[in-house]
Amino acid sequence: MNSYLSLQNIVVRYGPAFAAVNGLSFQLDEGKLLCLLGPSGCGKTTTLRVIAGFLRPTSGTVAVAGKDFTRTPAHKRNMGLVFQNYALFPHLSVSENIAFGLRMRKMPGPAIEKRVREMLELVDLGNLGGRMVAQLSGGQQQRVALARALAIQPSVLLLDEPLSNLDALLRIRMRAELKRIQQQFGLTTVFVTHDQEECFAVADEVILLNAGRIEQKGTSREIFDRPANRFVAEFVGFENIFRLPDGREVAVRAEDVALEKGTFGAGIRFDGDGVRLGGVVELATRKGRGTLLLVQAGEAEFHVLTRDETVHERGEQVTLFMMQRNLILL
Ligand SMILES: Nc1ncnc2c1ncn2[C@@H]1O[C@H](COP(=O)(O)OP(=O)(O)OP(=O)(O)O)[C@@H](O)[C@H]1O
Ligand SMILES: [Mg+2]
């Protein structure tokens, strides 16, 4: 097997009754970016800490390039880490922050200067090397943190919600930048995020964690378009989860529910092209050019997102239609 980063059966226990990570295994090929996604407390940061060597797992192994790292101390793993809050040294300048890991590794002075200059260029902070980090904007600090992590030429890059402190536009710009750098250097990267759109934009592979276990592992397309179970479907934002007359549970996105005015009658009809059912509009609010509706249909409530300008009102009788191919079997 030629996977580069390999976790086998990692368990992290805090006390006898609680495992923050509970039997986690995955393999990541060299140069690939894996997103760890999941709700608060599911074990993302704990997993990164295990990979980085800040936390010894209760059991299981971590290997890089075929070498068992489980007992290797953090400073000998050559991993670059960007923490959620960046954890920069506020009393040091930008350049000194970036040089920090190189000094620890006893790199000669001139080589450090050269590397720091390259890193400043890379993250587009060429003229700010002398600034104290306390005098930088959030986006600039984020770049310093990234430059510091990259300066040591890490074998694995670990990013814990690195963009979470940035405003929406800068966040989009920085994630593109990050992806560019990651690809340029072929960096094997584990990227923790809450943000699905961000995950979708950068990931080669995705793992969705829940309570320390993997719910689903796959490409972002697989996770977002083909959720394997109810937890994943809810997490990736499928608004509608319901049972077909034959008892099978399916998920469908609000934008994949078509709506027509007029009654269909009671009940639900499932045939070759899809599912049709009648309902009553409970709530209608404008969203973009279309309307977001809540429709009561029998026992179930459906979210529907229309894209046309048709006006809908509370109490209106409607027919909902969902195409077979948009119904995801859970
Ligand atoms: N030192 C500790 N002692 C006891 N429990 C801990 C400790 N560190 C973390 N935990 C618990 O382990 C679980 C996983 O924590 P972790 O920090 O990995 O979550 P996370 O997925 O990173 O969440 P978030 O998205 O909020 O950052 C949580 O329930 C947390 O309370
Ligand atoms: Mg965390």
Short mmCIF file of all heavy atoms in Angstrom, two decimals, residues 248-294:
data_model
loop_
_atom_site.label_atom_id
_atom_site.label_comp_id
_atom_site.label_asym_id
_atom_site.label_seq_id
_atom_site.Cartn_x
_atom_site.Cartn_y
_atom_site.Cartn_z
N ARG A 248 -39.14 2.64 2.90
CA ARG A 248 -37.74 3.06 2.75
C ARG A 248 -37.60 4.53 3.08
O ARG A 248 -38.46 5.34 2.72
CB ARG A 248 -37.26 2.79 1.33
CG ARG A 248 -37.08 1.31 1.02
CD ARG A 248 -36.60 1.10 -0.38
NE ARG A 248 -37.52 1.66 -1.36
CZ ARG A 248 -37.23 1.78 -2.65
NH1 ARG A 248 -36.07 1.41 -3.11
NH2 ARG A 248 -38.13 2.29 -3.48
N GLU A 249 -36.47 4.87 3.74
CA GLU A 249 -36.25 6.27 4.10
C GLU A 249 -35.43 6.95 3.00
O GLU A 249 -34.44 6.39 2.52
CB GLU A 249 -35.49 6.34 5.42
CG GLU A 249 -35.51 7.71 6.04
CD GLU A 249 -34.94 7.71 7.46
OE1 GLU A 249 -33.91 7.07 7.69
OE2 GLU A 249 -35.55 8.36 8.31
N VAL A 250 -35.86 8.15 2.58
CA VAL A 250 -35.14 8.87 1.53
C VAL A 250 -34.91 10.32 1.95
O VAL A 250 -35.61 10.86 2.81
CB VAL A 250 -35.91 8.87 0.18
CG1 VAL A 250 -35.93 7.49 -0.45
CG2 VAL A 250 -37.32 9.42 0.35
N ALA A 251 -33.91 10.94 1.33
CA ALA A 251 -33.61 12.35 1.57
C ALA A 251 -33.68 13.09 0.25
O ALA A 251 -33.31 12.54 -0.80
CB ALA A 251 -32.22 12.48 2.17
N VAL A 252 -34.15 14.33 0.31
CA VAL A 252 -34.20 15.15 -0.91
C VAL A 252 -33.99 16.62 -0.52
O VAL A 252 -34.46 17.07 0.53
CB VAL A 252 -35.52 14.92 -1.69
CG1 VAL A 252 -36.73 15.32 -0.88
CG2 VAL A 252 -35.53 15.65 -3.03
N ARG A 253 -33.26 17.32 -1.35
CA ARG A 253 -32.99 18.73 -1.06
C ARG A 253 -34.20 19.60 -1.44
O ARG A 253 -34.91 19.29 -2.39
CB ARG A 253 -31.76 19.21 -1.83
CG ARG A 253 -30.46 18.59 -1.33
CD ARG A 253 -29.27 19.35 -1.86
NE ARG A 253 -28.01 18.73 -1.49
CZ ARG A 253 -27.35 19.00 -0.34
NH1 ARG A 253 -27.84 19.87 0.52
NH2 ARG A 253 -26.21 18.39 -0.08
N ALA A 254 -34.37 20.71 -0.71
CA ALA A 254 -35.50 21.61 -0.96
C ALA A 254 -35.52 22.08 -2.41
O ALA A 254 -36.58 22.25 -3.02
CB ALA A 254 -35.42 22.81 -0.02
N GLU A 255 -34.32 22.27 -2.99
CA GLU A 255 -34.26 22.78 -4.37
C GLU A 255 -34.64 21.70 -5.38
O GLU A 255 -34.86 22.00 -6.55
CB GLU A 255 -32.86 23.32 -4.65
CG GLU A 255 -31.81 22.24 -4.66
CD GLU A 255 -30.42 22.76 -4.28
OE1 GLU A 255 -30.31 23.47 -3.26
OE2 GLU A 255 -29.48 22.42 -4.99
N ASP A 256 -34.70 20.45 -4.95
CA ASP A 256 -35.07 19.35 -5.85
C ASP A 256 -36.53 18.94 -5.70
O ASP A 256 -36.93 17.89 -6.19
CB ASP A 256 -34.16 18.15 -5.61
CG ASP A 256 -32.73 18.42 -6.07
OD1 ASP A 256 -32.57 19.20 -7.03
OD2 ASP A 256 -31.79 17.90 -5.45
N VAL A 257 -37.29 19.77 -4.99
CA VAL A 257 -38.73 19.50 -4.90
C VAL A 257 -39.43 20.51 -5.80
O VAL A 257 -39.30 21.71 -5.62
CB VAL A 257 -39.24 19.66 -3.46
CG1 VAL A 257 -40.74 19.33 -3.39
CG2 VAL A 257 -38.45 18.78 -2.49
N ALA A 258 -40.17 20.00 -6.80
CA ALA A 258 -40.92 20.90 -7.67
C ALA A 258 -42.32 21.08 -7.09
O ALA A 258 -42.84 20.20 -6.42
CB ALA A 258 -41.01 20.30 -9.06
N LEU A 259 -42.87 22.27 -7.34
CA LEU A 259 -44.16 22.58 -6.74
C LEU A 259 -45.09 23.17 -7.79
O LEU A 259 -44.69 24.00 -8.59
CB LEU A 259 -43.90 23.57 -5.59
CG LEU A 259 -45.06 24.15 -4.82
CD1 LEU A 259 -44.67 24.33 -3.37
CD2 LEU A 259 -45.46 25.49 -5.41
N GLU A 260 -46.32 22.67 -7.79
CA GLU A 260 -47.34 23.23 -8.69
C GLU A 260 -48.53 23.64 -7.87
O GLU A 260 -48.86 22.99 -6.87
CB GLU A 260 -47.81 22.16 -9.67
CG GLU A 260 -46.88 21.88 -10.81
CD GLU A 260 -47.29 20.59 -11.53
OE1 GLU A 260 -48.50 20.25 -11.51
OE2 GLU A 260 -46.39 19.95 -12.07
N LYS A 261 -49.20 24.69 -8.33
CA LYS A 261 -50.44 25.08 -7.65
C LYS A 261 -51.51 24.03 -7.95
O LYS A 261 -51.49 23.40 -9.01
CB LYS A 261 -50.91 26.44 -8.14
CG LYS A 261 -49.97 27.55 -7.69
CD LYS A 261 -50.61 28.90 -7.84
CE LYS A 261 -49.60 29.98 -7.51
NZ LYS A 261 -50.10 30.93 -6.52
N GLY A 262 -52.43 23.86 -7.04
CA GLY A 262 -53.54 22.93 -7.27
C GLY A 262 -53.39 21.66 -6.46
O GLY A 262 -52.28 21.26 -6.11
N THR A 263 -54.53 21.05 -6.18
CA THR A 263 -54.49 19.87 -5.31
C THR A 263 -54.13 18.63 -6.10
O THR A 263 -54.32 18.53 -7.31
CB THR A 263 -55.87 19.59 -4.68
OG1 THR A 263 -56.80 19.49 -5.74
CG2 THR A 263 -56.26 20.66 -3.73
N PHE A 264 -53.69 17.69 -5.38
CA PHE A 264 -53.36 16.39 -5.94
C PHE A 264 -54.23 15.35 -5.23
O PHE A 264 -54.49 14.28 -5.73
CB PHE A 264 -51.88 16.12 -5.71
CG PHE A 264 -51.48 14.70 -5.87
CD1 PHE A 264 -51.36 14.14 -7.13
CD2 PHE A 264 -51.23 13.91 -4.76
CE1 PHE A 264 -51.00 12.82 -7.27
CE2 PHE A 264 -50.87 12.59 -4.91
CZ PHE A 264 -50.75 12.03 -6.16
N GLY A 265 -54.71 15.75 -4.06
CA GLY A 265 -55.48 14.80 -3.26
C GLY A 265 -54.62 14.27 -2.14
O GLY A 265 -53.45 14.62 -2.04
N ALA A 266 -55.21 13.43 -1.34
CA ALA A 266 -54.48 12.91 -0.18
C ALA A 266 -53.51 11.82 -0.63
O ALA A 266 -53.62 11.31 -1.74
CB ALA A 266 -55.46 12.36 0.83
N GLY A 267 -52.57 11.51 0.24
CA GLY A 267 -51.71 10.37 0.00
C GLY A 267 -50.49 10.72 -0.82
O GLY A 267 -50.26 11.87 -1.19
N ILE A 268 -49.73 9.72 -1.09
CA ILE A 268 -48.44 9.89 -1.75
C ILE A 268 -48.40 8.86 -2.87
O ILE A 268 -48.84 7.72 -2.69
CB ILE A 268 -47.30 9.70 -0.72
CG1 ILE A 268 -45.94 9.67 -1.39
CG2 ILE A 268 -47.49 8.46 0.13
CD1 ILE A 268 -44.80 9.80 -0.36
N ARG A 269 -47.97 9.27 -4.06
CA ARG A 269 -47.90 8.31 -5.14
C ARG A 269 -46.46 8.17 -5.60
O ARG A 269 -45.77 9.17 -5.85
CB ARG A 269 -48.78 8.76 -6.30
CG ARG A 269 -49.04 7.60 -7.27
CD ARG A 269 -50.22 7.89 -8.15
NE ARG A 269 -49.89 8.88 -9.16
CZ ARG A 269 -50.78 9.71 -9.69
NH1 ARG A 269 -52.05 9.71 -9.29
NH2 ARG A 269 -50.42 10.57 -10.63
N PHE A 270 -46.00 6.96 -5.67
CA PHE A 270 -44.63 6.68 -6.06
C PHE A 270 -44.65 5.83 -7.30
O PHE A 270 -45.16 4.72 -7.29
CB PHE A 270 -43.93 5.95 -4.91
CG PHE A 270 -42.49 5.65 -5.20
CD1 PHE A 270 -41.65 6.63 -5.67
CD2 PHE A 270 -41.98 4.39 -4.97
CE1 PHE A 270 -40.31 6.36 -5.94
CE2 PHE A 270 -40.64 4.11 -5.23
CZ PHE A 270 -39.81 5.10 -5.71
N ASP A 271 -44.19 6.38 -8.41
CA ASP A 271 -44.14 5.56 -9.63
C ASP A 271 -42.75 5.64 -10.23
O ASP A 271 -41.82 6.14 -9.59
CB ASP A 271 -45.23 5.99 -10.61
CG ASP A 271 -45.07 7.45 -11.00
OD1 ASP A 271 -43.92 7.92 -11.04
OD2 ASP A 271 -46.09 8.12 -11.28
N GLY A 272 -42.62 5.20 -11.45
CA GLY A 272 -41.32 5.15 -12.12
C GLY A 272 -40.56 6.47 -12.12
O GLY A 272 -39.36 6.47 -11.91
N ASP A 273 -41.21 7.62 -12.32
CA ASP A 273 -40.42 8.87 -12.41
C ASP A 273 -40.19 9.54 -11.09
O ASP A 273 -39.34 10.40 -11.01
CB ASP A 273 -41.02 9.96 -13.30
CG ASP A 273 -42.25 9.63 -14.02
OD1 ASP A 273 -42.17 8.62 -14.71
OD2 ASP A 273 -43.24 10.36 -13.89
N GLY A 274 -40.96 9.20 -10.08
CA GLY A 274 -40.70 9.86 -8.81
C GLY A 274 -41.88 9.80 -7.88
O GLY A 274 -42.76 8.95 -8.01
N VAL A 275 -41.87 10.77 -6.95
CA VAL A 275 -42.89 10.80 -5.90
C VAL A 275 -43.74 12.05 -6.08
O VAL A 275 -43.22 13.15 -6.31
CB VAL A 275 -42.23 10.84 -4.52
CG1 VAL A 275 -43.24 11.15 -3.44
CG2 VAL A 275 -41.52 9.54 -4.23
N ARG A 276 -45.07 11.87 -5.96
CA ARG A 276 -45.99 13.01 -6.05
C ARG A 276 -46.84 13.00 -4.80
O ARG A 276 -47.29 11.93 -4.36
CB ARG A 276 -46.87 12.78 -7.27
CG ARG A 276 -47.27 14.03 -8.03
CD ARG A 276 -48.01 13.64 -9.30
NE ARG A 276 -47.12 13.12 -10.33
CZ ARG A 276 -46.45 13.88 -11.18
NH1 ARG A 276 -46.57 15.20 -11.16
NH2 ARG A 276 -45.66 13.32 -12.08
N LEU A 277 -47.03 14.15 -4.21
CA LEU A 277 -47.94 14.22 -3.07
C LEU A 277 -48.54 15.61 -2.92
O LEU A 277 -47.99 16.58 -3.43
CB LEU A 277 -47.28 13.73 -1.78
CG LEU A 277 -46.22 14.56 -1.08
CD1 LEU A 277 -45.91 13.95 0.27
CD2 LEU A 277 -44.95 14.58 -1.88
N GLY A 278 -49.70 15.66 -2.27
CA GLY A 278 -50.40 16.92 -2.12
C GLY A 278 -50.15 17.53 -0.75
O GLY A 278 -49.85 16.81 0.20
N GLY A 279 -50.25 18.86 -0.67
CA GLY A 279 -50.04 19.51 0.61
C GLY A 279 -50.61 20.92 0.65
O GLY A 279 -51.19 21.39 -0.33
N VAL A 280 -50.40 21.55 1.79
CA VAL A 280 -50.90 22.92 2.01
C VAL A 280 -49.73 23.79 2.44
O VAL A 280 -48.94 23.40 3.30
CB VAL A 280 -51.97 22.91 3.12
CG1 VAL A 280 -52.46 24.33 3.40
CG2 VAL A 280 -53.12 22.01 2.74
N VAL A 281 -49.63 24.97 1.83
CA VAL A 281 -48.53 25.88 2.17
C VAL A 281 -48.74 26.43 3.58
O VAL A 281 -49.79 26.98 3.90
CB VAL A 281 -48.46 27.05 1.16
CG1 VAL A 281 -47.43 28.09 1.62
CG2 VAL A 281 -48.15 26.54 -0.23
N GLU A 282 -47.72 26.24 4.42
CA GLU A 282 -47.77 26.73 5.80
C GLU A 282 -47.09 28.09 5.90
O GLU A 282 -47.46 28.93 6.71
CB GLU A 282 -47.01 25.77 6.72
CG GLU A 282 -47.72 24.46 6.99
CD GLU A 282 -48.88 24.67 7.94
OE1 GLU A 282 -48.65 25.35 8.96
OE2 GLU A 282 -49.98 24.18 7.65
N LEU A 283 -46.05 28.25 5.11
CA LEU A 283 -45.23 29.45 5.22
C LEU A 283 -44.54 29.66 3.89
O LEU A 283 -44.10 28.69 3.27
CB LEU A 283 -44.17 29.17 6.29
CG LEU A 283 -43.32 30.34 6.73
CD1 LEU A 283 -44.14 31.23 7.67
CD2 LEU A 283 -42.09 29.84 7.50
N ALA A 284 -44.48 30.92 3.44
CA ALA A 284 -43.77 31.22 2.19
C ALA A 284 -42.96 32.48 2.39
O ALA A 284 -43.51 33.51 2.77
CB ALA A 284 -44.78 31.40 1.06
N THR A 285 -41.62 32.39 2.19
CA THR A 285 -40.79 33.60 2.30
C THR A 285 -39.91 33.69 1.06
O THR A 285 -39.43 32.69 0.56
CB THR A 285 -39.86 33.55 3.54
OG1 THR A 285 -39.14 32.31 3.50
CG2 THR A 285 -40.63 33.65 4.82
N ARG A 286 -39.68 34.92 0.62
CA ARG A 286 -38.85 35.13 -0.57
C ARG A 286 -37.43 34.69 -0.27
O ARG A 286 -36.90 34.94 0.82
CB ARG A 286 -38.83 36.61 -0.96
CG ARG A 286 -40.18 37.23 -1.21
CD ARG A 286 -40.78 36.85 -2.52
NE ARG A 286 -39.90 37.18 -3.65
CZ ARG A 286 -40.11 36.74 -4.88
NH1 ARG A 286 -41.13 35.94 -5.14
NH2 ARG A 286 -39.29 37.08 -5.85
N LYS A 287 -36.82 34.04 -1.23
CA LYS A 287 -35.40 33.74 -1.10
C LYS A 287 -34.75 33.92 -2.46
O LYS A 287 -35.05 33.18 -3.38
CB LYS A 287 -35.20 32.33 -0.57
CG LYS A 287 -33.74 32.01 -0.38
CD LYS A 287 -33.48 30.87 0.55
CE LYS A 287 -31.97 30.71 0.67
NZ LYS A 287 -31.57 29.50 1.34
N GLY A 288 -33.87 34.92 -2.58
CA GLY A 288 -33.30 35.24 -3.88
C GLY A 288 -34.43 35.56 -4.85
O GLY A 288 -35.35 36.30 -4.52
N ARG A 289 -34.39 34.96 -6.03
CA ARG A 289 -35.45 35.18 -7.02
C ARG A 289 -36.67 34.32 -6.74
O ARG A 289 -37.73 34.55 -7.31
CB ARG A 289 -34.95 34.84 -8.43
CG ARG A 289 -33.94 35.83 -8.91
CD ARG A 289 -34.16 36.14 -10.39
NE ARG A 289 -33.15 37.10 -10.79
CZ ARG A 289 -31.93 36.76 -11.17
NH1 ARG A 289 -31.59 35.50 -11.27
NH2 ARG A 289 -31.05 37.69 -11.46
N GLY A 290 -36.49 33.30 -5.93
CA GLY A 290 -37.58 32.34 -5.72
C GLY A 290 -38.22 32.47 -4.36
O GLY A 290 -38.16 33.52 -3.72
N THR A 291 -38.81 31.38 -3.90
CA THR A 291 -39.51 31.37 -2.63
C THR A 291 -39.13 30.11 -1.86
O THR A 291 -39.01 29.03 -2.46
CB THR A 291 -41.04 31.36 -2.86
OG1 THR A 291 -41.38 32.43 -3.72
CG2 THR A 291 -41.80 31.49 -1.56
N LEU A 292 -38.95 30.28 -0.56
CA LEU A 292 -38.74 29.12 0.31
C LEU A 292 -40.06 28.84 1.00
O LEU A 292 -40.63 29.73 1.64
CB LEU A 292 -37.65 29.44 1.33
CG LEU A 292 -37.28 28.31 2.29
CD1 LEU A 292 -36.68 27.13 1.53
CD2 LEU A 292 -36.29 28.81 3.32
N LEU A 293 -40.55 27.62 0.84
CA LEU A 293 -41.86 27.30 1.40
C LEU A 293 -41.78 26.14 2.38
O LEU A 293 -40.94 25.24 2.23
CB LEU A 293 -42.82 26.87 0.28
CG LEU A 293 -43.07 27.89 -0.81
CD1 LEU A 293 -42.43 27.42 -2.10
CD2 LEU A 293 -44.55 28.12 -1.02
N LEU A 294 -42.67 26.18 3.36
CA LEU A 294 -42.92 25.02 4.21
C LEU A 294 -44.27 24.48 3.81
O LEU A 294 -45.25 25.22 3.82
CB LEU A 294 -42.98 25.44 5.67
CG LEU A 294 -41.70 25.43 6.46
CD1 LEU A 294 -41.98 25.82 7.91
CD2 LEU A 294 -41.04 24.07 6.39
#
